[in-house]
Every structure is written in C-alpha cells, then in structure tokens.
C-alpha cells in the first residue's frame, strides 16, 4: 500500500487543484449557465483531460484582450468622430421605413443605422465576385482597405497581392489586415511585394507559440474590402483557390458576397478602421477616409458588426429578432448550424406559427467537428416541421438569412456559437425587397442541387455516427 502513496497523493493534490483553481476559473469565465455546467462536469469527471480541453477550447483569454479591444474602439471613436455623421448614421427617414422595424430594432443592439441611396450587387458565384473585387480595386484612386480571415499563398492570393502592390506603386494607400490564425500559413514572401511597394500589412492577434497557438477563439472572421470610402465588399468569401472552386475535394464553391456603393460603405469602413487601429495602432482620420457620398441607388441597407468585445452580440440579436419577426417564410443558408438555445427556441416558435422554415447546409465539410455537431440539431429542426437540405453540387459556404421576402442579411457569420459569440463578424442587412427576391431565387436554385434530409435518413445512421454526433455536440458552446 505504501508504494502507491505518492500516486494517491498526486491524484489528491490534482483534485484539490481542480476544486480550488480550475472550477472557480470556469465559473468566472463562463457566463452561460449551460456552458459553465458542462465544463465543470468535464473537469470533475476528467480532471486532467477536462482541464486541458477547457484551456484549449473553453477559456479564450478573452478578458484582457477584449478590454484592450474595447479601449481601442472607444479611443478611436473619440479621437476620430465622423466628419459627416450622416454617413455613419444613415438616412433617418429610411430607418423609419425599414421593413417590420427590424432596422430600428437592430439599432438597439448597436448596429449601424439604416442607410438609403445605395447600389448593391449580389454575387452568387465566387469567380464573378472575385473578378468584380479585382476590377473595383483596379479603379481605386485614394486607398484600398482589406480585412480577411483566410488568405492563401496560392495563385488566387498572389494575384490579389500583386494587384495591391501595383496599386501601391501607383500611389494608392493600401492596408491589408488578416487574421493571424486563419491565415497562419500565409508566408512573408507572399506579402513581400506589397510591403516593398509601400503597402501596410498587419495581423489580427498575432499567434504566440507559447500561449495563443492552442486558442481558437477571438478570431477575426470578417471579410471586408473598402475602396476610396465609397465602395465596399463583404460576405463569406475568403481569398484562396478553393474559394473559386479550384480544389477538387470541395469542387464548386457556393458563397454569398456583395458589393455596396454609396453611404453604407462608411459602415464597412468604420469596422475596418477600428480593427486596423487595434491591430496596427494607426488611427485613420475621418476627414480623409470618410468622404461625403451622395445617393447613388435605391437600395436600403444596414451594416452590423459583432464580436466578443460587445456586451450584447449584435448579429446574434439581429438573427434572433429576424427569426421571431418571420410570418411567412424563413430561409437560411449556413454551412455550420450549431445554434444556442435561444436561437433554437426562436426557430421552434417560428415553425409552430406556420412559418416555412428551411435550412440549407453542406454535404462536404471542411470542419468535421462542427459538421457532426450540426447534424445532431438537424433532427430537432425536422421534428418541429422545418426542412433541412444538404448541398450536393460542391461546398456550401454561404451565410444568408431571408425573411418574408422583405429582409435579408448576407455576411460572414455562420449560425453557430463560434460566429455568434466568439468571433468578430460583419454582416450587411438588406431592406430592399428586390434584392431579397434575388437571394430567394438563388436559394431555390440551390435547393435543386440539394438533397432533403428526412427522419428516415437520420434514423438510418449507424450507431457509430450517432455517437460521434452526440460527442461533437458536447462542444457546441465552442463551435
């Protein structure tokens, strides 16, 4: 018995450490009761492995970094107020006319106000979107600002970087912001032509091999391009060959992307400037980068940003309000569907009210844990009367929500906890029925290339798959 005493003592010391240090650590960092309970049980039942899992997936060292992000944002807004506030505030009359008051409700959760007089082009094909992006950059005269989660070293990435380098040599100011973890493999030599030409490059939350490498939260998942403060691009498309359908595994890449020209571009510019100030410590003055932009079209849009530095996550709340406001149809495209309880309950209520709820997701995943966790929730959706589809033609990466033919949002946020609670995201809400009709028509075309998931399909899964789905959904608060 005595020979086991050191081992028993070690186990006892570790249990004390778990109870005195790890459990309070979980309780202090997890506001959501369900997530806190799940992590406490994991740590208690698997003291060593559970603690390691929490350190990797559960604790996102959010407090210090979020406080720093908030300080930067407030400092930037105080030091650089808009030269023409209406470019940020939008048209008050347009806000009043926003469909079903969703524009006004979004204001309450800190979205940018509704902006009228914009010209919006929707892209349902990524090759067309990328070509349009390059063409608009080609027309830049003053500055080009880009912010992307993933940038590859491949032909597509180099094509963009080389164009930016040429524009920089022509005297255009170029600022390029990428997420340090999403673009972890982006090589210095890929960016060197842009740097040599005078362009500025910054990484969002650089990866520290000792601390940050194993932390996957607090990532900048936004996709933004702003040209001369007048033209903006946003959506779900990153920069790389696979996003243009050139990866044989994924095949055709289906994504949502749009171009907005007019006053609403100021909202995307504001998001970029605040992120750039945080990452590069360079404040961009309003008088230079926020020109007065006249009405150029008939589209009414609203930019929304969200992230863990917000007390109330803007895009998540907008999604929730949009779901609850639906009366006729609610169509959603999202590659990863791992909703929190509030979103799931709202979808349930919408379906019980007779709303036509449809979810279009993927067949060929690029993140398997999120994919199998999402499959767990498909049965819940079907049980409440919703329809679930898997896109067969290629990779479904579009993040779009459409409500009653009157409102839609296109952006970077998936309908999962990572996008709605842990990542920095951006979206563009469309209050113009003609644009929503375009999105709905594209959605219906996508359904022709999709297979409906039925209860028969789900009950036919083997035990191993069902166990895998149940195991993956335990990580739902972090997916």
């Amino acid at each position: 018995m005595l020979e086991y005493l050191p081992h028993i003592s070690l186990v006892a010391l570790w249990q004390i450490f778990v109870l005195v240090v790890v459990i309070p650590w979980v309780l202090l960092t997890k506001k959501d009761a369900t997530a806190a309970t799940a992590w406490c049980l994991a740590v208690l039942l698997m003291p060593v492995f559970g603690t390691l899992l929490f350190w990797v997936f559960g604790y996102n060292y959010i407090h210090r970094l979020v406080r720093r992000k908030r300080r930067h944002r407030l400092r930037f807004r105080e030091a650089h107020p808009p030269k023409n506030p209406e470019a940020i505030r939008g048209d008050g009359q347009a806000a009043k006319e926003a469909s079903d008051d969703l524009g006004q409700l979004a204001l309450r959760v800190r979205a940018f106000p509704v902006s009228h007089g914009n010209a919006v082009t929707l892209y349902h094909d990524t090759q067309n979107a990328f070509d349009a992006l390059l063409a608009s950059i080609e027309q830049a005269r003053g500055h080009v600002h880009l912010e992307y989660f993933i940038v590859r070293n491949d032909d597509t990435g180099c094509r963009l970087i080389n164009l930016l380098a040429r524009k920089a040599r022509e005297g255009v100011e170029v600022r390029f912001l990428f997420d340090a973890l999403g673009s972890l493999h982006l090589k210095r030599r890929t960016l060197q032509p842009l740097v040599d030409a005078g362009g500025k490059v910054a990484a969002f939350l650089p990866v520290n091999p000792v601390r940050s490498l194993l932390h996957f939260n607090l990532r900048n998942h936004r996709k933004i391009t702003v040209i001369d403060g007048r033209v903006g691009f946003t959506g779900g498309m990153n920069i790389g060959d696979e996003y243009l359908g050139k990866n044989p595994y994924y095949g055709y890449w289906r994504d949502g992307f749009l171009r907005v020209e007019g006053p609403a571009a100021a909202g995307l510019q504001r998001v970029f400037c605040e992120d750039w100030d945080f990452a590069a410590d360079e404040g961009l003055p309003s008088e230079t980068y926020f020109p007065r932009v006249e009405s150029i079209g008939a589209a009414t849009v609203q930019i929304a940003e969200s992230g863990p530095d917000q007390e109330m996550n803007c895009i998540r709340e907008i999604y929730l309000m949009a779901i609850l406001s639906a009366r006729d149809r609610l169509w959603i495209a999202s590659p990863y569907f791992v909703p929190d309880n509030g979103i799931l309950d709202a979808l349930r209520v919408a379906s019980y009210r007779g709303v036509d709820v449809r979810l279009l997701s993927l067949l060929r995943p690029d993140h398997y844990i999120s994919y199998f966790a999402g499959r767990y929730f498909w049965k819940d959706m079907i049980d409440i009367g919703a329809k679930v589809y898997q896109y067969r033609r290629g990779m479904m990466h579009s993040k779009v929500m459409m409500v009653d033919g009157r409102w839609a949002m296109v952006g970077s946020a998936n309908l999962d906890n990572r996008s709605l609670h842990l990542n920095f995201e951006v979206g563009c809400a469309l209050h113009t029925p003609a644009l929503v009709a375009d999105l709905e028509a594209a959605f219906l075309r996508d359904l022709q290339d999709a297979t409906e998931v039925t209860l028969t399909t789900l009950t036919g899964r083997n035990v191993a798959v069902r166990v895998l789905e149940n195991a993956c959904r335990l990580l739902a608060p972090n997916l």
Side-chain angles (χ1 to χ4, degrees):
M1 184 69 181
L2 290 177
E3 64 266 24
Y4 296 110
L5 188 59
H7 301 287
I8 295 173
S9 301
L10 185 61
V11 171
L13 285 173
W14 186 260
Q15 291 286 5
I16 293 172
F17 173 76
V18 166
L19 291 172
V20 175
V21 177
V22 181
I23 294 297
W25 183 27
V26 172
L27 295 175
L28 288 172
T29 55
K30 289 297 175 185
K31 292 184 179 180
D32 181 75
T34 303
T37 301
W39 280 114
C40 284
L41 288 173
V43 169
L44 287 172
L45 295 175
M46 303 177 294
V48 177
F49 187 59
T51 300
L52 178 62
L53 277 179
F54 180 72
W55 183 69
V56 174
F57 293 103
Y59 175 63
N60 49 28
Y61 63 106
I62 186 173
H63 303 290
R64 177 175 59 84
L65 291 172
V66 162
R67 284 196 298 268
R68 182 158 66 92
K69 182 71 167 66
R70 284 177 183 157
R71 285 197 303 269
H72 270 263
R73 184 175 62 186
L74 292 174
R75 186 188 68 189
F76 178 83
R77 292 183 177 184
E78 291 172 359
H80 305 288
K83 179 183 177 183
N84 47 314
E86 68 274 10
I88 297 296
R89 291 201 305 264
D91 185 323
Q93 182 61 32
K96 292 177 183 178
E97 295 171 355
S99 58
D100 207 19
D101 292 327
L102 276 175
Q104 289 294 324
L105 289 171
L107 279 174
R108 295 179 179 270
V109 293
R110 300 294 187 266
F112 291 104
V114 173
S115 172
H116 187 62
N118 301 279
V120 174
T121 304
L122 297 170
Y123 300 102
H124 309 298
D125 181 87
T126 51
Q127 184 63 63
N128 292 338
F130 187 67
D131 290 343
L133 177 67
L134 297 185
S136 294
I137 292 173
E138 188 73 60
Q139 299 300 315
R141 295 295 176 263
H143 64 268
V144 180
H145 293 158
L146 303 99
E147 175 175 351
Y148 285 87
F149 177 58
I150 293 175
V151 183
R152 302 294 192 201
N153 297 297
D154 53 27
D155 290 342
T156 301
C158 291
R159 186 180 173 192
L160 174 64
I161 296 298
N162 290 335
L163 173 60
L164 294 173
R166 178 163 61 79
K167 296 304 292 185
R169 288 193 297 271
E170 292 173 3
V172 174
E173 295 180 23
V174 177
R175 293 177 177 87
F176 192 81
L177 177 63
F178 60 90
D179 184 79
L181 189 60
S183 301
L184 184 63
H185 300 292
L186 181 61
K187 293 180 170 53
R188 185 178 185 85
R189 69 169 179 267
T190 302
L191 296 169
Q192 198 61 47
L194 176 57
V195 175
D196 292 342
K200 297 182 179 180
V201 176
F204 190 91
L205 290 181
V207 174
N208 182 316
V210 176
R211 253 190 108 172
S212 305
L213 186 58
L214 295 178
H215 293 281
F216 302 102
N217 302 334
L218 276 179
R219 301 325 313 175
N220 191 328
H221 197 241
R222 293 166 178 158
K223 293 89 176 172
I224 295 173
T225 299
V226 182
I227 299 157
D228 294 337
R230 301 174 183 275
V231 175
F233 287 83
T234 194
M237 184 182 71
N238 288 296
I239 306 299
D241 283 352
E242 70 262 42
Y243 301 100
L244 302 186
K246 297 179 180 179
N247 184 306
Y249 172 74
Y250 301 116
Y252 179 76
W253 193 279
R254 176 69 176 90
D255 220 324
F257 210 64
L258 61 80
R259 179 186 190 272
V260 56
E261 182 176 3
L268 293 173
Q269 181 84 299
R270 197 74 180 178
V271 177
F272 173 86
C273 288
E274 290 176 4
D275 287 346
W276 182 262
D277 177 63
F278 173 72
D281 200 23
E282 179 190 12
L284 304 180
S286 297
E287 58 271 15
T288 304
Y289 299 99
F290 291 86
R292 185 177 297 277
V293 180
E294 301 299 329
S295 175
I296 195 172
T300 300
V301 304
Q302 185 174 27
I303 302 300
E305 62 169 326
S306 65
D309 58 338
Q310 295 179 336
E311 292 294 338
M312 184 179 293
N313 191 287
C314 179
I315 291 179
R316 188 262 181 192
E317 298 303 308
I318 291 174
Y319 278 169
L320 184 62
M321 293 184 293
I323 294 168
L324 292 173
S325 76
R327 294 293 178 268
D328 181 32
R329 57 188 180 274
L330 171 68
W331 296 348
I332 300 167
S334 179
Y336 299 108
F337 179 75
V338 189
D340 59 36
N341 289 333
I343 294 290
L344 192 59
D345 286 341
L347 290 167
R348 184 177 291 112
V349 169
S351 185
Y352 290 166
R353 285 192 283 105
V355 176
D356 175 14
V357 180
R358 303 187 193 186
L359 169 67
L360 177 60
S361 194
L362 47 70
L363 178 66
R364 241 167 273 162
D366 56 346
H367 299 292
Y368 283 92
I369 295 178
S370 296
Y371 171 71
F372 282 107
R375 284 173 58 101
Y376 173 86
F377 292 96
W378 290 356
K379 185 177 184 300
D380 290 338
M381 293 290 287
I382 295 171
D383 284 342
I384 64 174
K387 294 182 178 180
V388 178
Y389 301 87
Q390 286 183 286
Y391 189 69
R392 297 189 318 268
R393 184 180 175 188
M395 174 65 179
M396 167 51 65
H397 197 251
S398 186
K399 303 100 164 53
V400 180
M401 179 179 287
M402 295 150 281
V403 176
D404 294 342
R406 57 181 169 79
W407 180 94
M409 177 173 277
V410 179
S412 65
N414 297 305
L415 207 62
D416 60 18
N417 284 297
R418 178 160 296 278
S419 280
L420 301 184
H421 295 281
L422 302 175
N423 284 343
F424 295 92
E425 307 281 0
V426 68
C428 181
L430 306 172
H431 297 267
T432 303
L435 293 171
V436 181
D438 189 336
L439 288 170
E440 288 187 335
F443 185 84
L444 291 174
R445 289 195 299 272
D446 290 336
L447 293 189
Q448 295 176 8
D449 292 316
T451 300
E452 184 174 358
V453 180
T454 65
L455 285 178
T456 302
T457 306
L458 294 178
T459 53
R461 302 179 321 245
N462 62 47
V463 174
V465 172
R466 280 183 282 171
V467 169
L468 179 61
E469 291 170 358
N470 276 269
C472 289
R473 62 105 177 182
L474 295 177
L475 295 173
N478 297 283
L479 298 175

